[in-house]
Amino acid sequence: MARKLLGLVMLALAFPIIVAAQSQATTGIIRGVVTDPSGTPVAGANVTLREAQTGFQRQLTSNERGVFVASLLPLGVYDVTARAVGYSESRRNGIQVRVGSTVDVTLALAAVTLQAVVVEGQQQVVDADQVEAASRLPTGAVSGLPNNGRNFLNLTLLTPGVAVVQGPDGDELSIAGQKGIHNNVAVDGADFNNPFFGEQRGGQRPAFTFNLDAVQEIVVVAGGATAEFGRSSGGFVNVITKSGTNQLHGSVHYFGKSSAISGTPVHAGYSYDPDFGQSQVGFTLGGPIKRDRAFFFVAYDQQVYSDTKQRTRPTSTSLDSLKAWMGSAYGGVLATDFGSIGRTNDARALLAKFDFHLSDRHTLSLKYNYTWSEQKNGTFDVDTWARSSNALERDHSNAVNGSLVSYLSSNTSNEFRFQYSREDRPRPYTGPRSAGLGTNPADPPLARPFPDVAMDFANHLRFGMPFFIPIAYYDTRVQLVDNVSFAKGNHFFKLGGEYNRVNSVQTFIGFANSRYIFGSVNGFLNYVADSTYVECSGGSTGTAYTCPGAETVSGPVLLYLQQAGVDQNVRRSGTQQIPQDELAFYIQDSWKPNPRLTLNYGLRWEAQIEPDPITPPSTVFFSPFIGQSVTNARGKFAFPSDGTIPSDKKMWQPRLGIAYDPQADGRQVFRANAGVYYARIPGLNLASTRSTNGSNGLTYFRNSALTGVLGPVPGFGNLLPDSVPQNSVFFPDVFVFDKNFQNPRTLNITLAYERQLSSDLGLLLSYTHARTDHLTRFINRNDSSFASPWSSGLPPAGINGISTLTTVESSAKSRYHGFTIGLKRVLDPNFQFQINYTLSFDKSDDDNERDPFTFRYAHANDLAPEYNWSDRDQRHRVNAWALVRLPAGLYMNNRVSYYSAQPISASCGRNAFVPPAGQPASVATDRVCADNSVLKRNTLRKDNAYFSWDLRFSRPFRVGTRNQVEALVEVFNVTGNDNFHDPSYGNLVFNFDGTIRSGLGDPRQLQAGIRWLF
């Protein structure tokens, strides 16, 4: 009889430990059932959970169904023990609790005559209860894989559905085909996003924002996130940092690389000799303050980087002519502007974390994070742009966040999280200046910098201070979150709320120092010599703004922009605060009606409260237009704005996730999830609407062709007045929000099947559809295709009006389909790997993320041709990694990434002034044909396919009983692929992006390092 009972017990205990991902932001759950030897649930059993490294302990009582749920558990490895009167003890050891995971266990009590049965927990190949499309990077992958730059976000690229796409604002992290600004990055449950730019804190430029060795776990949710998670229509990246334990432990590292042992990239016959050096040094240290009660963890990392590029330039007679002028103009201050460009990318990051077990019912965690970075000449990296087209890029941030977890009863717990942060991102200018350029409105009392000048569509030349520089900027964030969890029967309920207030404070005076665009270098040089010089439609030239005969003026100035204040100077008009409040409430239930089925369903509500405009609607420059309609030969047009910035308060988001394990053995699972997700609107999209409204500030627009209408373009070195009286405002460019604006909304549906093929091999098949509507679009609602309905009707006597009416509206859309197949091997410490291949199809009709100065369409009145392949569309993506242990204690760790080329639009070649038919379009209007038809957007492919194989060889050496020294050699881009950067949506002349890297990618690089672990 005893043998039979023991067999039943062992059979019950042999049920696998099942893990469900991403149900909590910073903690984990152990959920289980206590049964007697016959499988009948045991009510009132005492369950004890103990984390070995910190001594944390929690006690629970099983309910009437024998179920216990230990929620909000600190991460770690637990021993779980169950006891009940009349039965002997049952214990599970070594149960790993990871961030957001729910570990399901079965504790079968034995007859009292038997000894306690102890079973060791084991990691499973398949997460059979996981309802989300979530991917967790193993600890060995985080610490062991080669990572160029040691940035934690770089590791997210190894998960399914995640890719880097080359965008006009730098490399963007795209999850399930969505815009980079629509992701949500959280670190220790705290919002880690920049509210103004919509990207992660620090942006793309800093090498890192904290020590990679401080990362405990990274989880990426590409679809199916539960109702607890919001403020993103893309994906969720959840990072948890390490904590101290009862044992003092830490690490020290140094990594260095140099161009002396790097390769030379080559692309289409063009190459350059790399000239760079980089050093990274840092440490971690963690341990007890008071054993079992209080712990500390500290991490620091620092990078020193220098790089010299553009030592040679693409040759052209145009560049030679421009350099000849620069050699003597303004005392020769620009003589070496097209010489080599030296850049830096220095960074420092400090993290300090303290954890306290205040009592058996309360735990407290506090963390401070400091970041600092600086990039000299870090704005642009384009081979045909001068050194003066760069600024000093700086960023530093301070953040304090924490959590208080309270276990209110055996089945109820509460988590309170908070954060206060401030990020400063000043962008001063250190380039050439000249007193001969006249008054400096941008950053007085210094001499005036050279204006931002671009020219020549064949060679894309540019020099002068970028139009958006200098910038004084900082933001603050206050975040409060509270979650209540309680278990009832087979249900685990959560409900909670969040308040997130950000305030972006900036002085932005874009175009205050003016922006010129010329068709050619020759036109620029003639204009500088005589500002009345014109180029004519028949190919001739003239002076005094006049062309001969019936010819009309066509150049040389294609665009002149300058910002000014209204009844105030431009700096005052460009200074503003942009407060935004985000509110959220949710309720969800995780229900496990039987061992085969797990359901998670919930509802989330969010609101994003936008600030009022600086100028009230009743007094704004265009107030007579509000509520009015105009009928002309092109139709009837209602004024798009009511003078406010709409707040979206109706963001209801239902969520449903299902996981079905047919045999209840943890070896296979069918998953299905669907949900609605809303994105937040970054402050950058609001800034111009609040400041450039014709009453607070305005943008002058001029070009040579419209001299007779708008007045002449100022001579080089001159500016129009930087302050305009309100009664003298004449045809300004105006920014408004559409009165029906809504936040972007995504319906994400994911279907997946995961199966354990062998003892340590898992297969993943998945399909994701993301349908996004209400995407932000910038459009001129006073375009000539509408017969410019708002170009007249304002005082005096109705002869005044608006020039360009940039309207921020939610009329764009995208559709993404992605199919993924993956294999993984995760249990064998000698050989682990994961490989994912994604075939995706991504379409949209506008991919402008946050550039309010560029219209991406060909015809404002016909947006149908805009719907085609998205700028982010990459047909094929492969991500893979492998951790391999070789003989003699060597390790060979690999990562491989491949992304196919992104699309670009073709020119229709309607005349001699646009690229030939079939060639890449320079601007969107190049797609317009001679018969006024429009080619579809993005029908060609760029030459920017990406492949990189990174390799690390390492050898650890034991030193004593507790110390280990590891020597490492890493090779990045082993095969030396050029990985050409072509991020621009069009030509580099008409470019209004905040950062660009164009040209050859990183060469093969070799890095050596050493780590001491203790």
Side-chain angles (χ1 to χ4, degrees):
M1 182 65 181
R3 186 172 298 174
K4 183 177 180 180
L5 286 175
L6 180 60
L8 287 172
V9 171
M10 295 306 296
L11 179 62
L13 290 176
F15 283 8
I17 296 175
I18 308 299
V19 180
Q22 207 55 26
S23 58
Q24 301 191 107
T26 61
T27 56
I29 298 171
I30 294 180
R31 176 174 60 188
V33 178
V34 182
T35 67
D36 65 15
S38 67
T40 303
V42 176
N46 295 318
V47 180
T48 302
L49 305 95
R50 188 176 190 278
E51 205 285 316
Q53 292 186 312
T54 63
F56 171 83
Q57 185 168 296
R58 187 175 178 195
Q59 294 186 341
L60 305 167
T61 302
S62 62
N63 65 18
E64 69 280 3
R65 297 174 180 265
V67 174
F68 67 91
V69 180
S71 61
L72 300 176
L73 293 177
L75 308 187
V77 179
Y78 284 79
D79 297 337
V80 182
T81 304
R83 301 180 182 88
V85 176
Y87 301 95
S88 64
E89 175 184 297
S90 177
R91 185 165 71 246
R92 287 272 185 120
N93 290 342
I95 297 177
Q96 179 102 39
V97 174
R98 301 182 183 275
V99 60
S101 67
T102 299
V103 184
D104 280 335
V105 299
T106 300
L107 293 169
L109 300 173
V112 73
T113 56
L114 297 177
Q115 292 184 345
V117 178
V118 180
V119 175
E120 298 295 327
Q122 293 183 346
Q123 181 183 353
Q124 298 300 304
V125 176
V126 174
D127 296 341
D129 280 7
Q130 176 182 312
V131 298
E132 308 93 338
S135 300
R136 184 187 312 279
L137 284 172
T139 302
V142 173
S143 61
L145 288 174
N147 186 343
N148 196 356
R150 290 174 52 81
N151 189 328
F152 74 94
L153 284 175
N154 195 10
L155 294 173
T156 64
L157 303 176
L158 299 174
T159 60
V162 181
V164 161
V165 294
Q166 296 173 13
D169 282 319
D171 288 347
E172 301 166 358
L173 193 70
S174 176
I175 302 178
Q178 303 305 294
K179 292 183 177 181
I181 63 171
H182 291 169
N183 298 325
N184 191 348
V185 180
V187 177
D188 292 323
D191 199 310
F192 202 73
N193 303 282
N194 181 284
F196 186 76
F197 295 98
E199 58 198 3
Q200 68 273 9
R201 187 176 298 161
Q204 297 102 333
R205 293 186 182 90
F208 46 75
T209 44
F210 47 80
N211 190 330
L212 184 63
D213 292 335
V215 175
Q216 180 170 345
E217 291 193 39
I218 300 176
V219 177
V220 179
V221 182
T226 62
E228 182 179 354
F229 298 90
R231 304 185 311 282
S232 169
S233 66
F236 299 86
V237 179
N238 198 5
V239 180
I240 300 298
T241 58
K242 294 178 180 177
S243 295
T245 65
N246 280 324
Q247 184 178 17
L248 187 69
H249 60 88
S251 64
V252 179
H253 72 261
Y254 170 81
F255 292 90
K257 60 183 179 180
S258 168
S259 58
I261 48 177
S262 294
T264 300
V266 178
H267 179 86
Y270 174 68
S271 68
Y272 75 93
D273 293 323
D275 183 6
F276 68 88
Q278 175 179 296
S279 296
Q280 290 182 332
V281 61
F283 72 90
T284 67
L285 181 65
I289 299 174
K290 183 177 181 180
R291 184 174 180 84
D292 289 346
R293 305 300 293 181
F295 311 90
F296 76 93
F297 182 82
V298 180
Y300 177 79
D301 212 350
Q302 179 172 343
Q303 173 174 293
V304 177
Y305 177 91
S306 62
D307 179 15
T308 301
K309 293 181 70 176
Q310 285 83 39
R311 291 191 296 176
T312 60
R313 303 275 189 163
T315 59
S316 68
T317 56
S318 295
L319 178 58
D320 292 341
S321 298
L322 182 58
K323 288 168 64 176
W325 173 80
M326 288 179 160
S328 58
Y330 296 92
V333 68
L334 295 171
T336 61
D337 205 25
F338 276 97
S340 60
I341 301 178
R343 296 179 175 85
T344 64
N345 188 4
D346 300 334
R348 298 191 291 267
L350 172 68
L351 180 149
K353 190 175 183 181
F354 302 91
D355 297 280
F356 305 91
H357 297 164
L358 302 178
S359 68
D360 291 341
R361 304 186 70 175
H362 303 284
T363 63
L364 174 67
S365 179
L366 298 173
K367 188 189 72 176
Y368 168 70
N369 189 204
Y370 167 75
T371 70
W372 176 93
S373 69
E374 180 178 276
Q375 299 86 34
K376 296 178 181 178
N377 293 323
T379 309
F380 296 120
D381 185 356
V382 180
D383 289 339
T384 57
W385 291 3
R387 187 186 307 116
S388 59
S389 294
N390 285 280
L392 180 61
E393 304 289 348
R394 289 175 169 167
D395 185 278
H396 62 273
S397 68
N398 293 271
V400 176
N401 67 280
S403 66
L404 175 65
V405 174
S406 300
Y407 307 108
L408 306 179
S409 69
S410 183
N411 62 356
T412 305
S413 55
N414 186 84
E415 177 193 33
F416 172 70
R417 299 199 305 268
F418 65 90
Q419 175 186 201
Y420 174 79
S421 66
R422 170 168 169 157
E423 179 181 0
D424 290 72
R425 197 181 288 197
R427 306 175 76 179
Y429 188 66
T430 57
R433 302 169 182 264
S434 174
L437 293 168
T439 304
N440 175 17
D443 56 354
L446 300 172
R448 184 187 168 197
F450 284 84
D452 189 349
V453 183
M455 66 195 79
D456 194 330
F457 289 100
N459 298 291
H460 330 122
L461 305 175
R462 185 175 181 179
F463 74 92
M465 184 176 76
F467 69 89
F468 49 84
I469 299 294
I471 296 175
Y473 169 87
Y474 74 90
D475 65 71
T476 59
R477 181 185 297 276
V478 175
Q479 182 183 15
L480 303 174
V481 181
D482 195 75
N483 300 305
V484 179
S485 309
F486 60 96
K488 179 70 173 177
N490 291 328
H491 298 266
F492 178 64
F493 298 96
K494 290 193 74 173
L495 60 90
E498 177 176 2
Y499 172 70
N500 206 328
R501 178 178 176 84
V502 297
N503 189 24
S504 303
V505 182
Q506 68 161 353
T507 297
F508 177 77
I509 51 173
F511 308 115
N513 195 48
S514 72
R515 176 88 197 269
Y516 292 89
I517 294 180
F518 294 86
S520 67
V521 172
N522 184 64
F524 165 72
L525 296 177
N526 282 296
Y527 162 81
V528 170
D530 179 1
S531 63
T532 72
Y533 166 83
V534 294
E535 296 171 342
C536 305
S537 57
S540 62
T541 62
T543 58
Y545 311 114
T546 304
C547 285
E551 294 186 49
T552 57
V553 175
S554 60
V557 181
L558 305 181
L559 181 70
Y560 175 85
L561 297 174
Q562 183 190 327
Q563 186 73 7
V566 176
D567 287 333
Q568 58 189 328
N569 65 43
V570 68
R571 288 190 60 82
R572 185 175 178 184
S573 73
T575 300
Q576 62 172 307
Q577 299 186 34
I578 307 176
Q580 295 173 284
D581 293 289
E582 297 173 344
L583 302 173
F585 296 97
Y586 77 93
I587 184 169
Q588 69 182 43
D589 175 28
S590 179
W591 179 33
K592 194 172 180 64
N594 58 61
R596 293 180 174 84
L597 182 63
T598 302
L599 298 172
N600 190 294
Y601 48 93
L603 180 65
R604 183 180 182 89
W605 171 83
E606 290 178 353
Q608 185 172 24
I609 311 301
E610 308 295 6
D612 293 327
I614 294 174
T615 308
S618 59
T619 59
V620 73
F621 168 78
F622 53 83
S623 61
F625 286 151
I626 294 177
Q628 302 300 310
S629 296
V630 169
T631 301
N632 58 32
R634 301 291 176 84
K636 184 177 181 180
F637 303 96
F639 193 73
S641 174
D642 60 7
T644 69
I645 301 174
S647 298
D648 199 336
K649 303 176 184 178
K650 299 179 181 179
M651 293 186 279
W652 294 97
Q653 302 164 69
R655 312 278 175 84
L656 173 65
I658 302 171
Y660 179 67
D661 178 359
Q663 305 301 323
D665 59 2
R667 295 182 61 87
Q668 64 177 326
V669 60
F670 294 90
R671 296 192 188 97
N673 56 70
V676 175
Y677 302 85
Y678 279 87
R680 53 182 25 147
I681 301 300
L684 177 57
N685 287 358
L686 280 59
S688 293
T689 295
R690 302 187 77 235
S691 61
T692 308
N693 56 10
S695 295
N696 182 74
L698 60 85
T699 301
Y700 294 110
F701 164 70
R702 300 283 191 276
N703 66 21
S704 296
L706 294 176
T707 296
V709 177
L710 300 175
V713 178
F716 196 80
N718 297 321
L719 289 168
L720 297 169
D722 86 324
S723 178
V724 180
Q726 181 68 71
N727 59 10
S728 298
V729 174
F730 183 68
F731 286 101
D733 289 348
V734 167
F735 289 75
V736 299
F737 259 73
D738 184 88
K739 58 180 176 290
N740 297 314
F741 183 87
Q742 301 176 61
N743 284 41
R745 180 191 66 201
T746 297
L747 171 63
N748 185 291
I749 300 173
T750 301
L751 304 174
Y753 173 70
E754 191 172 359
R755 183 181 182 89
Q756 183 174 342
L757 300 178
S758 65
S759 61
D760 189 9
L761 185 64
L763 168 70
L764 170 67
L765 301 173
S766 73
Y767 162 74
T768 296
H769 171 62
R771 178 188 179 94
T772 303
D773 295 295
H774 309 317
L775 280 172
T776 302
R777 188 199 306 274
F778 300 94
I779 187 169
N780 178 14
R781 287 298 173 187
N782 199 39
D783 191 86
S784 59
S785 62
F786 306 125
S788 304
W790 311 108
S791 59
S792 61
L794 295 178
I799 63 172
N800 200 359
I802 295 172
S803 178
T804 298
L805 180 60
T806 300
T807 305
V808 187
E809 59 184 38
S810 49
S811 60
K813 64 182 179 182
S814 70
R815 304 290 185 263
Y816 172 84
H817 300 269
F819 304 86
T820 297
I821 180 171
L823 288 173
K824 65 179 180 180
R825 176 186 173 97
V826 294
L827 301 183
D828 186 349
N830 296 314
F831 179 43
Q832 299 181 29
F833 74 86
Q834 182 170 311
I835 181 170
N836 301 291
Y837 164 71
T838 298
L839 172 68
S840 63
F841 304 88
D842 189 0
K843 288 190 171 184
S844 70
D845 59 4
D846 196 306
D847 296 306
N848 190 348
E849 296 206 353
R850 57 190 181 193
D851 175 7
F853 308 115
T854 306
F855 302 127
R856 303 293 175 90
Y857 50 80
H859 273 169
N861 66 339
D862 182 12
L863 299 177
E866 306 305 314
Y867 184 71
N868 201 27
W869 302 119
S870 162
D871 289 352
R872 299 176 300 278
D873 182 61
Q874 295 171 321
R875 187 69 66 248
H876 308 283
R877 293 197 298 269
V878 177
N879 293 310
W881 58 265
L883 306 176
V884 183
R885 183 172 184 176
L886 302 174
L890 287 172
Y891 291 84
M892 183 182 73
N893 299 337
N894 306 256
R895 59 180 294 176
V896 175
S897 295
Y898 167 77
Y899 313 126
S900 58
Q902 296 168 232
I904 192 170
S905 296
S907 170
C908 197
R910 68 181 180 275
N911 56 43
F913 299 100
V914 302
Q919 295 299 307
S922 298
V923 293
T925 52
D926 290 348
R927 292 163 38 220
V928 180
C929 302
D931 61 0
N932 209 37
S933 63
V934 179
L935 295 181
K936 274 195 170 186
R937 186 175 67 105
N938 284 348
T939 54
L940 304 178
R941 291 283 162 172
K942 300 178 181 180
D943 186 13
N944 69 340
Y946 177 89
F947 176 82
S948 183
W949 172 27
D950 300 339
L951 181 63
R952 169 188 283 186
F953 287 100
S954 64
R955 174 65 162 88
F957 299 90
R958 301 297 305 181
V959 180
T961 58
R962 292 188 52 198
N963 296 271
Q964 177 178 288
V965 175
E966 183 179 19
L968 309 99
V969 174
E970 297 176 317
V971 184
F972 306 111
N973 191 12
V974 172
T975 56
N977 284 61
D978 62 59
N979 291 330
F980 194 75
H981 282 254
D982 186 8
S984 178
Y985 72 94
N987 193 276
L988 290 170
V989 174
F990 272 92
N991 185 276
F992 294 86
D993 300 317
T995 182
I996 275 188
R997 179 182 178 185
S998 179
L1000 290 164
D1002 291 330
R1004 181 189 303 110
Q1005 300 176 0
L1006 189 147
Q1007 176 170 276
I1010 188 168
R1011 288 198 299 193
W1012 173 34
L1013 307 175
F1014 59 90

